[in-house]
Amino acid sequence: MARVSPGEFIRQVRAETAKVVWPTGRETMMTTVMVLIMTTVLAVFFFGLDSVFSSIVQALLKLLG
């Protein structure tokens, strides 16, 4: 790996950062909303799955006890 002076490194970082296409405020908001929706859906799904498994374990424990 080639060694680069600190000044050259900063210039390269600025050049690469200039190439980045930053999302608009609307795109950021839509992505945030989608993440919140998906997180909520997954939370409900895993809560339901946990409840089912909990019921199964409780029924098995009653049979044994």
Side-chain angles (χ1 to χ4, degrees), residues 38-51:
M38 290 306 296
T39 302
T40 303
V41 168
L42 285 171
V44 169
F45 171 75
F46 285 117
F47 176 76
L49 195 63
D50 185 55
S51 296

Side-chain angles (χ1 to χ4, degrees), residues 5-25:
S5 70
E8 180 63 24
F9 176 75
I10 297 297
R11 280 190 288 281
Q12 289 176 359
V13 169
R14 286 189 179 170
E16 290 300 317
T17 304
K19 296 177 188 177
V20 174
V21 178
W22 298 102
T24 63

Side-chain angles (χ1 to χ4, degrees), residues 1 6-9 14 22 28-30 32 34 36-37 39 49 54 56-58 63-65:
M1 184 170 227
E8 180 63 24
F9 176 75
R14 286 189 179 170
W22 298 102
T28 303
M29 184 58 66
M30 291 300 292
T32 301
M34 289 305 298
L36 291 173
I37 290 170
T39 302
L49 195 63
S54 178
I56 291 170
V57 169
Q58 291 293 328
L63 286 175
L64 294 175

